[in-house]
Each structure stands twice: as C-alpha cells, then as structure tokens.
Amino acid sequence: MRAAWAFFPNLAWKSLGRAASCVLLCAAGASTVAALPIPAGRVQTGAERVLSGEWRTGRIRKVALLTHAAAVSDTGERDVLALVRRGPWHVERLFTPEHGLDAALQGQIRDGAVTLATAEGTRSLGVRSLYGTRLKPRAEDLAGLDAVVVDLQDVGARFYTYGATLRRVMEVCRERGVKVVVLDRPNPLGGEVVEGGILDPRFLSFTGPAEVAVRHGLTLGELARWFNDEIGGQLEVVPVAGLTRRDLWSDLGRPWTPPSPAMTSFESALCYPGACFFEATRLDVRVGDRPFTVWGAPWLDAAGLVSSLQSLALPGVEIRLATLPPGTMRTKDLWEPVSGPRGLERVPSVEPFQAVVLDVRDPRAFRPVTLAVHALAWLQAHHAGPLGLESRGFDRMAGTDILRLGLLEGRSPTDLLGIWSTEPPDHLQRWRRARLYR
C-alpha cells in the first residue's frame, strides 16, 4: 500500500516536512470533462446557472428539492426561494439534511411545512427531514417525481453529514427510477489538498459515507460522481462555472452563510477537519464564538500544549495562549464520564480559563488534520485520563481504528500519520474520475 501522502502521477508534489501532508495540483488536460464556460468576473453556482437559463436539465417537470438556508446566491438570496419562484421545474416538496432548512433552528429538525411567496401567490410545501430517525426518503416521498434536485453547501470534510445524506438519496432514487440532479457549489477548502487517512470500508457510516480522505478535496457534485461509481442510477451534476481546484472560499468573493450552527466562518471550516476529532473526547473545541479555532477544558495544560505546537512551526497557522472570561467555556457533562450519549445541556464556566487559540494566517499552507494529530499525541501523553477518547465515535471519524490504537500505544505523530495514511490501490483513479474541475 502506498502512503496517502505520495503524490499522484502527473501532479506536482510539495513536501511539508514534519507536517507530513501533501498538495495535489491537478495537471492541465487531466480533467474528465470539457472546460467549463466562465462567466465574466465571477464564479456561478449550479443553481445560478439553472436559474439564469444557461444550463438546461432536460425533461424534468416535478421535483423534490433537498436544500437548506446555506444554499444562497452571491447576492444573499436563498436558493430555496429562487428555485420555487423562478426555477424551471415545479417543486413538489422539500427535503432537508441535518440542521433542517435553517441552521439557526438547531434542535427543531422535524417534518412539517413551509409557506413561500411566489409570483402566483403563496405556496405551502411539505418538508421531510432526512436526519434523525429517518435518514433517507420513503417510497411515497418520491411518488410522482421526475427528479430530486440537491442544492447543499458542503465544507469539504468526510464526516460532515451532507455527503452521507446525498448518498442515501441517490440509493433510494436508483431503486425508484428517479433522477438525481446535483446543483454543485464550491468546496470552501478547495480541491488541491487531500489530507488525513482514507476510510477503511469496514468503517463506513453516516459520518463516513465514502472511501475518501478526511479532507477529500471534492465538491458535493464530485462526491456524487464518486458515489455513482458504486450506486449507478440517473445522475446529472450542474457544475460551478468558473471554479478551479485552487479556489478557496476566500478567493470567491461570496458571503459566508453558516451551513451548520457551529460553522460560523471560513476559519471555522478550515479548522474543522482536524478539530472535529476532539468531538469524541472531553476537550471542548466549540469555545465561545469561534468554534473549532479555540480549544479548552478545565483539566487542560493549555500553556503546555501551546508550547508543544508552537515548537513545530507548522505552516499557515499561529497558535497562541489566551485567557478567556467566564461563560465562554461549556462545562459539566462534556468532561464527566457518562454511560451512553452525553447530554446537550452544558453549564457555562464561572471562572476565567486558559485556552488554545488557532489563528489561520495562510489558508493554503494550513494543514488542520496534521495539527490535530500532533495535538492528540501530546494530549494522550499528558492527559490520557481526562482526554477520554471515545472509541466508537473516534474510529468512525478517523475511518479506521489504526489512529486510536496508535495513540494508545504512544506512537509519535510522524508514525501516526504514516500508519494511518495508507492509500488503497484504486483511490487515485477513482478520485480523478470523480473530479469536474481543473
């Protein structure tokens, strides 16, 4: 097995030394599709192309729309409103992923109805949640439909659940003979960097729906093409016009709309592929109003962890110690051993505390998974008891048990990254077949 950090044929290699990561730069002419038309001056999402009439999806009349509030135009208009009012199809019903139609409605993810104003008056549409007790549409949800149209803003990490929801929709649609149309949107983390171990198929789950790396470097439309290799069925992806693999969210000039309650900024999304591993520990990485960029716990030697990480001189990120005021750290059940799932209610801290703060200075150079592995190794060596690795959740996010077992054995971060990062023989070929952008 080759290391996942080994460069792909015909792609440029950039060594990061101790960071043990790779940059995958797509060679000109390697794309499997024709060059996309580039509108003057801006990137155009799949939804914007359909609404402008620049892309036509053929004989589709009645659809269900799988979407959420983060699917917006560059002017801030919600796609769900635009597609119901001005879209080329008749939207019969809505499907929603985790967090529902609006990320602000966390905890209110249930079936229901929404009333929207249209040119013809108001319309009431049924809403079906595809999260919680039911992760995929029922047969009756697809009755009479020509297609399910998917318009979701992903963040480029394997365990972010919108990819898993898409896969389940594709599976049911194939069974029922219904087409899936993905209105593609940019991957905020770009398509050059692939980082973190590739999922072992024994660990497929709702937080691990594909045998890709943690930071997989694919848009949701490209993930759909990856899934379709296995699932089959009728798939059409409306690509983002003007997008290149090099583009990060900060290059696009588009507003940031949180695709989930904790994904409050582009910086949060940059840190998420590494910080999310701590969701299976008792370290809090959602401190204050900067989720995934500020880490803390009552038991944490924050100064020691900061010093260790600073000594690595990892590229693209400034790591510093900060003293934060009372009320910005959640306490109680996050750190107390419990049997069964931890509760959602957290009691704010009543004392000032020290925390680790990540300030991303160069998004292209920053490697969040590499940083997380170094932090995990230090924490396991210094705070093994309080850290409390939760094996089932951690292994699902890692896509294997190799990383957790290596941490428990006390292996070095370099060894951990090496043993975790084996690449299946066909991964490169599948990755290149899936991609849409140069």
Side-chain angles (χ1 to χ4, degrees):
M1 303 285 275
R2 292 181 294 148
W5 318 116
F7 66 91
F8 290 1
N10 300 321
L11 303 179
W13 163 263
K14 179 180 179 182
S15 174
L16 293 175
R18 297 181 66 178
S21 274
C22 70
V23 175
L24 309 177
L25 301 177
C26 298
S31 177
T32 58
V33 297
L36 302 175
I38 302 176
R42 69 183 180 96
V43 159
Q44 194 176 30
T45 66
E48 289 164 351
R49 298 182 78 185
V50 167
L51 286 165
S52 71
E54 190 269 327
W55 184 285
R56 300 186 184 277
T57 56
R59 295 179 137 185
I60 298 175
R61 293 180 177 84
K62 295 183 178 181
V63 306
L65 178 61
L66 168 58
T67 191
H68 59 169
V72 297
S73 71
D74 59 356
T75 64
E77 181 184 18
R78 289 188 178 191
D79 285 357
V80 63
L81 299 177
L83 289 168
V84 170
R85 292 170 178 168
R86 309 191 305 276
W89 326 283
H90 190 272
V91 179
E92 299 282 315
R93 63 188 62 96
L94 300 175
F95 295 138
T96 65
E98 183 178 3
H99 310 299
L101 267 182
D102 194 330
L105 300 179
Q106 175 74 336
Q108 301 179 38
I109 310 160
R110 58 175 69 94
D111 293 347
V114 61
T115 300
L116 301 176
T118 69
E120 297 77 28
T122 59
R123 284 189 59 203
S124 179
L125 291 175
V127 179
R128 304 284 188 268
S129 170
L130 301 183
Y131 185 73
T133 57
R134 186 176 68 246
L135 298 177
K136 58 186 179 181
R138 300 168 298 191
E140 54 265 38
D141 294 331
L142 300 178
L145 298 182
D146 299 311
V148 174
V149 176
V150 181
D151 185 17
L152 296 172
Q153 181 58 63
D154 197 42
V155 299
R158 184 181 65 216
F159 28 66
Y160 208 60
T161 61
Y162 299 156
T165 297
L166 170 62
R167 178 169 190 140
R168 280 160 175 74
V169 166
M170 291 176 65
E171 290 169 344
V172 175
C173 285
R174 179 189 59 79
E175 295 169 2
R176 308 301 300 180
V178 175
K179 186 174 184 176
V180 175
V181 178
V182 178
L183 307 182
D184 208 10
R185 304 185 64 84
N187 178 341
L189 308 185
E192 288 185 334
V193 177
V194 173
E195 189 188 14
I198 294 166
L199 181 135
D200 182 324
R202 296 177 301 157
F203 291 84
L204 285 166
S205 71
F206 196 66
T207 51
E211 296 166 51
V212 294
V214 172
R215 180 178 175 180
H216 48 65
L218 300 171
T219 66
L220 202 65
E222 290 174 326
L223 270 178
R225 287 161 60 87
W226 180 289
F227 297 147
N228 209 51
D229 261 1
E230 302 170 4
I231 298 170
Q234 305 172 61
L235 172 68
E236 180 175 359
V237 178
V238 182
V240 181
L243 187 70
T244 73
R245 304 210 76 79
R246 179 173 172 78
D247 290 328
L248 304 178
W249 192 267
S250 53
D251 300 318
L252 303 178
R254 300 178 71 91
W256 179 266
T257 302
S260 57
M263 208 63 63
T264 55
S265 67
F266 173 48
E267 189 175 40
S268 290
L270 285 167
C271 294
Y272 175 76
C276 193
F277 282 97
F278 295 104
E279 301 279 274
T281 74
R282 292 197 287 272
L283 181 74
D284 189 1
V285 293
R286 300 192 188 199
V287 175
D289 60 358
R290 291 188 55 188
F292 308 120
T293 71
V294 182
W295 307 351
W299 44 263
L300 177 65
D301 175 10
L305 178 55
V306 166
S307 177
S308 175
L309 295 176
Q310 286 177 339
S311 71
L312 302 171
L314 296 174
V317 62
E318 178 185 334
I319 303 162
R320 58 186 173 88
L321 186 67
T323 300
L324 301 183
T328 48
M329 182 191 291
R330 304 171 300 176
T331 60
K332 196 74 173 174
D333 68 327
L334 183 62
W335 300 291
E336 292 181 350
V338 295
S339 58
R342 297 188 177 103
L344 293 176
E345 296 299 323
R346 307 271 168 79
V347 179
S349 62
V350 296
E351 300 291 338
F353 66 97
Q354 288 192 317
V356 179
V357 179
L358 310 180
D359 294 312
V360 179
R361 303 304 186 193
D362 183 350
R364 295 193 189 283
F366 178 45
R367 300 294 178 265
V369 181
T370 297
L371 171 65
V373 170
H374 280 279
L376 282 162
W378 189 93
L379 289 164
Q380 184 62 29
H382 294 82
H383 294 300
L387 181 63
L389 283 176
E390 194 276 299
S391 58
R392 186 167 179 266
F394 189 90
D395 291 352
R396 283 188 170 189
M397 286 190 289
T400 178
D401 58 4
I402 289 175
L403 180 58
R404 177 178 55 84
L405 294 176
L407 285 166
L408 296 177
E409 292 169 5
R411 290 182 177 245
S412 72
T414 300
D415 285 347
L416 290 169
L417 288 164
I419 63 174
W420 182 30
S421 307
T422 53
E423 181 191 352
D426 65 341
H427 177 258
L428 165 61
Q429 290 72 27
R430 293 191 65 186
W431 189 89
R432 292 183 68 174
R433 281 200 308 272
R435 65 186 186 171
L436 285 164
Y437 310 99
R438 295 180 180 176

